[in-house]
Amino acid sequence: MHKTNFKSVAAQTQNEATAVGSKSPNDTVKTTNSVVKKRNMSPFNTVISKANKLFLKQVLKNTQIKQECIVYCITPNLYADAPRFWEEYRIAVEAILDSKRFERNCIDAKLNPQYVAEHLVLEGRAMIRRVLTGGFAPLKGRERHFTAPILKAEYFASDVVSADAEKKSPATGNQVA
């Protein structure tokens, strides 16, 4: 029976590792520093992203909950001017509605193009691009629930929206301190 001396095996393994790691003066190794750059998202897209993530966590999913999630995410540190946010939202909706193919797809599916575009903005830029190029297939049937408007005239009136957002949580509906 052969006994193995674990200390000598560990020392031999250590020596082999240093031999492999040693470099001769003629060896040149190019080292690259990979730097991950943080994407700078616009305040509008930040609000949309946070609202979409918040909406996906909700048990009850309807248009009113979507509106509350958006309103909740329009906070002074992300987007201080609520009416301006809603104006950007409207501009994003109009950009989607400029597509004749999108309008035709909505009419074929018996959907209101305005309402679908309003809901599609909340889905994000990547989904908007996929829907505009490939139709409703990427939505996997969610477009059937896009039957009510998100935009309301009162959103454009005053900064009451962001003040209400700080007081009420869409997840619970309770007042937040």
Side-chain angles (χ1 to χ4, degrees), residues 143-158:
E143 74 277 358
R144 293 183 312 239
H145 303 290
F146 298 168
T147 57
I150 290 179
L151 293 175
K152 294 181 179 179
E154 63 201 44
Y155 291 157
F156 299 96
S158 67

Side-chain angles (χ1 to χ4, degrees), residues 36-128:
V36 178
K37 292 184 180 180
K38 186 177 178 183
R39 293 184 302 170
N40 290 331
M41 287 179 62
S42 71
F44 176 80
N45 288 326
T46 303
V47 170
I48 293 297
S49 175
K50 287 183 182 285
N52 193 18
K53 288 176 186 174
L54 183 61
F55 178 72
L56 292 175
K57 294 177 186 177
Q58 303 303 310
V59 175
L60 181 64
K61 292 180 176 18
N62 60 31
T63 304
Q64 182 181 358
I65 300 295
K66 273 188 186 181
Q67 291 166 337
E68 290 176 8
C69 289
I70 295 169
V71 168
Y72 182 78
C73 291
I74 303 173
T75 58
N77 59 345
L78 285 179
Y79 215 100
D81 188 14
R84 185 172 171 205
F85 169 82
W86 290 108
E87 184 61 26
E88 273 194 61
Y89 199 97
R90 187 186 59 75
I91 291 169
V93 169
E94 287 178 2
I96 295 170
L97 291 173
D98 280 344
S99 170
K100 294 298 179 192
R101 178 189 297 172
F102 174 77
E103 191 174 339
R104 196 172 339 111
N105 288 342
C106 289
I107 292 169
D108 291 344
K110 296 181 177 133
L111 296 169
N112 183 332
Q114 175 74 29
Y115 297 168
V116 175
E118 289 177 14
H119 287 267
L120 196 56
V121 169
L122 188 62
E123 297 288 330
R125 292 179 297 175
M127 184 61 75
I128 291 170

